[in-house]
Amino acid sequence: MPSKPHQGSKFNRRSLIKSAAALPALITAPALISRSALASSGELNLLAWSNYFPTEFLTAFTARTGIAVKHTAIGSNDEIINKMRATNGRGIDLISPTNTRAHQWRKLGLLQAIDPTKLNNSNKLMPALAALGNSDWQFDRQLPHWLPLTWGTEAMAWRNDMWQPPGDSPSYGDLWAQAVRGNAMIRPHSGLLAAGLYLESIGQLPPNAMRIAYRNEVSMRAAWESVTRFCTQRKSQMKLFWNDAQSQKNALLNEGVVVAQSWDGPIWALKTQGEPLSYRAPAEGALTWVDGLALSANAQYTHQAYAFMDYCFEAKNAGLAIRHHGYNSAVSGAQHFADRDYQDNFNASYNAEALENLWVWPSEPEWYAGLRTEYRNRFVNA
């Protein structure tokens, strides 16, 4: 699955955030009141990425609803899965899995369907991201088992003091142009996929070939053989390969890279510091990861979980959360409530067309990552 740039976030994902406010009526309750009775009047057990829900966010939710949030922080999708499997989902109400893990969650049977009629704000979600719940995450009852929360992209970055895209919008094809030979940078596996999208756009691969490649091994090999051959023949374009946020920054600032396929967060951070960099979604669509919210099949406090999701899907609340975690929100218009630097970076990177044209990483079947690594290694070692 695609890696996400969580390591560049402002908060430590391993930190635990806990809010314990209770309803006013409970303040005068007898000391012998049972724990379950106390919890049933307003508690939520949340298992989620550590910095998505800062203390201020949870405190404000509790102040509005009276629901206390017990937030257990996690640092990976595997950690979510392991904790859910250990208890069969008991003691956990709401989790935050990544969209690419839908195949795993379908088999585990640890999630329940989300009823949109119980949410006032689900219609505020970006259509391109909300559609994932009705495609990859529709396990039964024709209802989604997941709704989007945050997202980020891998798109085109460049030194604007040294190079400008030749067209109105950058293209993944720019990485393979003679003008930047020896001064380009990609992450190998995602760079290959993006090269495939470029080849689709110029008719050298059938339409949607890179998405169809997720269906079965035959389709994948048909597409990735062509892509790997194209990239291997042009490997001299690449100055460096990156594998984390810091290596992207160093390459563009200090190591001669002029144009790159990179994450949004590291480039935005450098832009905010005044460095001569640009970042923009390409014509083929920015590669996009999405983290969402899902209900445990054995959730005890489902009413509270729906209240929390509704709170998250209000644009103002989502925008204030951006000020802490720095990721994009799946709520339309949330960027208007974030800080000015974020708004400037967001607007420069994604126009309305780009937001409708995000290329979201599909849910990966079990065989996919291993086969992708085979082609990645063939390219890197060529």
Side-chain angles (χ1 to χ4, degrees):
M1 65 172 282
S3 299
K4 304 189 295 299
H6 292 310
Q7 61 267 46
S9 56
K10 300 177 183 177
F11 279 65
N12 183 347
R13 280 192 170 278
R14 307 301 304 180
S15 63
L16 295 178
I17 301 171
K18 191 171 183 180
S19 177
L23 289 168
L26 297 177
I27 295 175
T28 57
L32 295 179
I33 188 168
S34 72
R35 184 173 183 274
S36 60
L38 180 66
S40 66
S41 61
E43 182 175 299
L44 175 69
N45 294 300
L46 174 66
L47 181 66
W49 295 95
S50 62
N51 61 344
Y52 282 176
F53 304 108
T55 301
E56 293 87 341
F57 185 92
L58 299 179
T59 300
F61 170 72
T62 300
R64 179 192 289 190
T65 64
I67 299 171
V69 181
K70 179 183 178 183
H71 179 204
T72 300
I74 54 87
S76 72
N77 277 283
D78 289 336
E79 192 174 352
I80 301 177
I81 290 173
N82 291 338
K83 288 183 182 295
M84 286 284 285
R85 292 179 68 176
T87 65
N88 203 32
R90 293 183 178 86
I92 301 169
D93 302 310
L94 199 61
I95 62 173
S96 63
T98 301
N99 67 294
T100 56
R101 296 298 187 105
H103 281 291
Q104 287 178 281
W105 287 104
R106 181 189 298 270
K107 292 181 177 180
L108 290 171
L110 293 174
L111 302 179
Q112 63 176 284
I114 298 173
D115 184 352
T117 66
K118 296 181 179 179
L119 293 166
N120 295 320
N121 297 317
S122 61
N123 61 345
K124 308 290 179 59
L125 295 171
M126 294 170 56
L129 302 184
L132 298 172
N134 291 320
S135 55
D136 293 353
W137 292 82
Q138 215 175 63
F139 300 164
D140 56 34
R141 294 181 55 206
Q142 301 303 302
L143 290 174
H145 286 61
W146 176 98
L147 291 175
L149 179 69
T150 57
W151 59 279
T153 64
E154 192 174 321
M156 292 294 293
W158 63 93
R159 288 284 301 253
N160 54 43
D161 58 341
M162 298 181 180
W163 181 84
Q164 291 294 329
D168 295 334
S169 296
S171 164
Y172 292 127
D174 294 334
L175 293 158
W176 307 98
Q178 185 67 25
V180 296
R181 183 178 180 181
N183 295 301
M185 176 177 68
I186 60 173
R187 178 172 57 160
H189 77 266
S190 51
L192 288 170
L193 188 147
L197 299 181
Y198 166 66
L199 294 177
E200 288 180 21
S201 74
I202 61 174
Q204 291 190 22
L205 278 179
N208 296 315
M210 301 310 290
R211 192 170 294 280
I212 293 171
Y214 284 80
R215 294 181 182 174
N216 54 64
E217 294 188 34
V218 172
S219 297
M220 182 174 184
R221 288 192 181 277
W224 281 70
E225 285 287 342
S226 296
V227 171
T228 304
R229 181 169 56 252
F230 172 88
C231 294
T232 299
Q233 291 171 351
R234 295 161 179 79
K235 191 180 177 184
S236 59
Q237 293 289 127
M238 297 297 126
K239 188 175 188 67
L240 293 170
F241 297 128
W242 62 264
N243 58 14
D244 58 26
Q246 192 58 47
S247 60
Q248 295 171 58
K249 292 180 178 180
N250 288 338
L252 284 159
L253 290 183
N254 307 314
E255 299 184 52
V257 170
V258 173
V259 61
Q261 181 181 321
S262 74
W263 285 329
D264 49 7
I267 310 307
W268 286 1
L270 293 176
K271 284 183 60 183
T272 300
Q273 295 168 14
E275 300 293 346
L277 293 171
S278 295
Y279 182 90
R280 197 179 308 164
E284 299 87 355
L287 301 181
T288 306
W289 59 264
V290 191
D291 285 340
L293 293 172
L295 276 170
S296 169
N298 287 310
Q300 184 176 0
Y301 305 117
T302 54
H303 294 298
Q304 288 86 344
Y306 276 103
F308 187 78
M309 285 190 282
D310 242 4
Y311 187 84
C312 291
F313 298 155
E314 289 184 27
K316 182 176 181 180
N317 301 333
L320 293 176
I322 291 172
R323 296 182 179 223
H324 292 271
H325 58 58
Y327 299 112
N328 306 320
S329 171
V331 181
S332 297
Q335 69 271 20
H336 301 308
F337 297 94
D339 60 80
R340 176 54 60 185
D341 286 337
Y342 173 86
Q343 291 184 50
D344 291 344
N345 284 325
F346 186 93
N347 293 333
S349 302
Y350 313 111
N351 59 23
E353 183 179 358
L355 292 176
E356 294 177 358
N357 192 40
L358 297 174
W359 202 93
V360 180
W361 293 89
S363 179
E364 293 181 3
E366 293 178 357
W367 52 266
Y368 186 86
L371 193 52
R372 181 182 65 189
T373 299
E374 175 186 322
Y375 286 103
R376 180 257 183 214
N377 291 345
R378 187 189 304 180
F379 168 61
V380 170
N381 296 326

